Amino acid sequence: MDQLLTANVASNLYWLGRHLDRTEATLYNVIKTYDIIIDVDKDAGVKLYKKFGIDLTYKNAMDFLHNASLGNHDNNLRAITAHARENAIIARNYINTEMFGEVIALNALFRDAAKNAITIDYRFIDTAQSLINEILGELSKRKAKQGSDFFIRLGKLVEEIDFCFRLDKDETLTNNIINEAYMVIHTLAPDLPQKMIQFQKKRNNHQEIFDDIDKKIATIIVE
């Protein structure tokens, strides 16, 4: 593990992973829902954002893309990528140059779109998806896994778990991701008692699982 990894850096690497995965998952679901709004159900975007606890309104499919990406709500992509940018800046010494630059570019894409009233269309979303794929590709290139990589990975897995619950994904898939998150926790904290690491199958409540993971993360990220 990285010997000089401070609690502040570790926390920001973890949240960088969460914000990157949230961006990726949101982009995927937004473009998928955009197609459904056009062809099947004009209220599909309303139903999707209800699962995020957001009352999203829009006039048509194009307006849905705009409001999902830049609207005045907590899950807009401009805000999510701004958080990722801040995380990356704080953890700069643990991120390679290419990945850092792509995180900055991803946020700039949405920031400039909001500032200059750029139309959010399918091509714009495709550009954003390409950037996030390049970011995740840079992360996967790192052959020697360091503590910093595991904190990012843990953040991504926790965000995946959240999306699985919100979008009612297959239970087996969800449990596999939960177990993978606990394996990363074990890698980061091998001295924790095994009973603290294992996923307890009796925990089937969304919030209970998150509380348990948060408790274990708190034992790893300490001042």
Side-chain angles (χ1 to χ4, degrees), residues 24 102 126 128-138 140:
E24 180 187 31
E102 286 154 359
D126 187 58
Q129 285 179 316
S130 295
L131 275 170
I132 193 69
N133 288 338
E134 288 172 13
I135 293 167
L136 299 178
E138 286 297 330
S140 68

Side-chain angles (χ1 to χ4, degrees), residues 21-33 36 44-54 64 75 158-171 173-174 177 206 210:
D21 194 85
R22 190 176 305 177
T23 301
E24 180 187 31
T26 301
L27 283 168
Y28 172 80
N29 283 286
V30 162
I31 203 65
K32 179 180 177 181
T33 303
I36 295 173
V46 174
K47 296 171 185 175
L48 173 65
Y49 273 78
K50 280 284 188 184
K51 296 178 179 179
F52 301 141
I54 295 168
F64 165 73
N75 207 49
V158 169
E159 197 65 28
E160 285 182 44
I161 294 166
D162 186 53
F163 267 83
C164 281
F165 278 110
R166 289 182 186 275
L167 303 183
D168 301 315
K169 296 290 185 180
D170 176 75
E171 183 179 356
L173 171 65
T174 303
I177 297 171
H206 183 179
F210 268 87

Side-chain angles (χ1 to χ4, degrees), residues 60-148:
N60 50 44
M62 289 295 292
D63 196 39
F64 165 73
L65 282 184
H66 176 84
N67 289 348
S69 301
L70 304 175
N72 186 25
H73 57 83
D74 293 338
N75 207 49
N76 80 72
L77 289 162
R78 177 173 55 84
I80 297 170
T81 58
H83 291 315
R85 177 183 182 275
E86 183 66 22
N87 298 143
I89 289 172
I90 294 173
R92 175 68 184 89
N93 291 337
Y94 296 88
I95 302 170
N96 69 33
T97 301
E98 291 78 10
M99 181 176 173
F100 180 78
E102 286 154 359
V103 171
I104 300 301
L106 182 65
N107 173 239
L109 181 71
F110 287 98
R111 182 197 63 208
D112 293 346
K115 181 178 179 181
N116 300 316
I118 294 173
T119 300
I120 306 297
D121 55 16
Y122 205 106
R123 184 181 302 177
F124 181 96
I125 297 295
D126 187 58
T127 300
Q129 285 179 316
S130 295
L131 275 170
I132 193 69
N133 288 338
E134 288 172 13
I135 293 167
L136 299 178
E138 286 297 330
L139 182 62
S140 68
K141 286 179 185 177
R142 294 167 65 135
K143 295 180 181 179
K145 291 297 182 182
Q146 306 171 42
S148 53

